[in-house]
Amino acid sequence: MSSRIENYLGFPMGISGAELTQRAIIQAEKFEASLTAPCTVVSLGSCAGHLVVRLSDGSEVAGRAVIAATGASYRRLEASRLSDFEGNGVYYAATDMEAGICGPSPVVVVGGGNSAGQAAIFLRQGGCRVTLVIRGDDLGKDMSRYLVERIEADSQITVRARTTVVALDGHETLGAVRLNGPDGNVDLPCAGLFSFIGAEPSSGWLNGCAALDDQGFVLTDLSLTAEQLGQSWQTLARSPLPFETSHPGLFAVGDVRSGSTKRVAAAVGEGSSSVRSVHQFLAFSSRPNG
Ligand SMILES: Cc1cc2nc3c(=O)[nH]c(=O)nc-3n(C[C@H](O)[C@H](O)[C@H](O)COP(=O)(O)OP(=O)(O)OC[C@H]3O[C@@H](n4cnc5c(N)ncnc54)[C@H](O)[C@@H]3O)c2cc1C
């Protein structure tokens, strides 16, 4: 969903999330990984010592080990008529496609994190006049300094602090948004509302198989308490491996993992490191009482 990832090693000119994914697919196929897409995992279970992943088409895939890398999905704004314009003026990504739809019209970006900052700059570069709406009063609280500096230096980006989006308006497409801030309600013309207000972990499919933190992110290795590990681990006579969840053989990496750094480089690194843990797990479980 990222329009331009500028901090991933090896891409000095930046790369969009979509292009990085396309390249990853080619690379995975080169190593003969079997890919199935589009395809949603609906639940996880276990059977005869294997974890069983159930897919939305009803098929099942069994494995001795599973790595969960399902990331997180976006929170929705609580504003009236939001659903009327989703995909038709309300967007959760700012790529060339959305920028093309909005053209040079005014747009509103909501959120105080790096994703919102990147989107504001990207849309501005495409010729839009951008209003950046943040709930708090300090743009630098959750956003990287380099983005804050670029936003503050740009006269075509207006930052509205202590402000929320309360309503959307338009006929067939989004035409205006109502903001509520220190000066009360303000109506702004708006061709695109870009929402970057945080994410919910995509962990529901784990179906209670793994312990989660209070926000639903998956707990792994040192974050797990003895209580969360339960009795089954006592018979295993080992601690969870790096990235292993409370379910032996189930690993979690990237954004879906509790405490992970929500960045591409971190997710890629965790994914590759977890493979070492999978090998260790397979070695443990091939022992006579493993
Ligand atoms: C707009 C935006 C801009 C960003 N910019 C940057 C940046 O500049 N630099 C940076 O380092 N990071 C950036 N990030 C963060 C970065 O994208 C994430 O940290 C990274 O992609 C996490 O990788 P992941 O593999 O854990 O999850 P994701 O990349 O989210 O991948 C998870 C995948 O799992 C799929 N999935 C989810 N549930 C299921 C299911 N039940 N069945 C099947 N598939 C499922 C999803 O569709 C998705 O394809 C940005 C994020 C956003 C949203």
Side-chain angles (χ1 to χ4, degrees):
M1 294 291 230
S2 173
S3 49
R4 186 170 288 271
I5 298 160
E6 291 190 77
N7 59 350
Y8 186 46
L9 189 74
F11 296 92
M13 306 309 289
I15 184 165
S16 72
E19 199 186 340
L20 187 64
T21 307
Q22 281 304 321
R23 291 182 183 208
I25 289 170
I26 294 167
Q27 203 166 0
E29 284 174 340
K30 189 182 121 189
F31 288 110
E32 296 179 5
S34 165
L35 298 179
T36 306
C39 163
T40 303
V41 175
V42 289
S43 67
L44 184 72
S46 56
C47 181
H50 282 63
L51 285 158
V52 182
V53 169
R54 292 192 185 86
L55 309 181
S56 54
D57 66 0
S59 58
E60 294 184 338
V61 185
R64 296 284 297 282
V66 168
I67 302 173
T70 41
S73 61
Y74 310 98
R75 290 210 180 96
R76 294 174 77 240
L77 289 163
E78 283 182 25
S80 76
R81 296 197 63 199
L82 181 81
S83 54
D84 290 358
F85 300 107
E86 276 179 317
N88 194 20
V90 175
Y91 306 108
Y92 296 91
T95 68
D96 287 333
M97 192 183 78
E98 291 82 17
I101 296 168
C102 296
S105 309
V107 297
V108 171
V109 176
V110 191
N114 281 354
S115 308
Q118 287 172 354
I121 290 166
F122 174 74
L123 292 162
R124 160 70 192 104
Q125 285 166 344
C128 296
R129 185 172 171 86
V130 179
T131 299
L132 177 59
V133 171
I134 62 169
R135 223 170 23 177
D137 52 12
D138 177 12
L139 191 59
K141 185 169 168 281
D142 296 315
M143 198 180 285
S144 298
R145 193 69 230 154
Y146 82 99
L147 289 171
V148 174
E149 282 168 7
R150 278 164 74 175
I151 288 167
E152 287 178 346
D154 195 322
S155 63
Q156 294 300 303
I157 304 179
T158 306
V159 179
R160 284 184 178 265
R162 283 179 287 139
T163 300
T164 53
V165 179
V166 291
L168 285 69
D169 196 17
H171 297 293
E172 285 175 6
T173 56
L174 180 66
V177 294
R178 174 162 294 174
L179 307 179
N180 181 268
D183 303 325
N185 285 343
V186 179
D187 292 323
L188 290 184
C190 175
L193 176 65
F194 292 82
S195 176
F196 297 96
I197 57 166
E200 306 278 354
S202 304
S203 58
W205 63 276
L206 291 170
N207 222 15
C209 279
L212 308 177
D213 69 13
D214 54 4
Q215 292 177 293
F217 290 91
V218 186
L219 292 162
T220 55
D221 51 79
L222 296 178
S223 314
L224 288 158
T225 61
E227 197 182 324
Q228 284 160 334
L229 289 173
Q231 284 216 318
S232 58
W233 283 85
Q234 285 171 11
T235 52
L236 284 178
R238 68 170 178 89
S239 306
L241 293 160
F243 308 107
E244 195 168 21
T245 69
S246 60
H247 192 300
L250 175 62
F251 299 80
V253 297
D255 281 10
V256 77
R257 191 177 75 79
S258 177
S260 68
T261 302
K262 309 304 186 222
R263 292 286 179 272
V264 175
V268 170
E270 290 192 4
S272 47
S273 302
S274 71
V275 174
R276 182 165 186 268
S277 293
V278 169
H279 286 300
Q280 281 180 285
F281 167 76
L282 294 176
F284 276 129
S285 38
S286 62
R287 289 179 192 163
N289 51 2

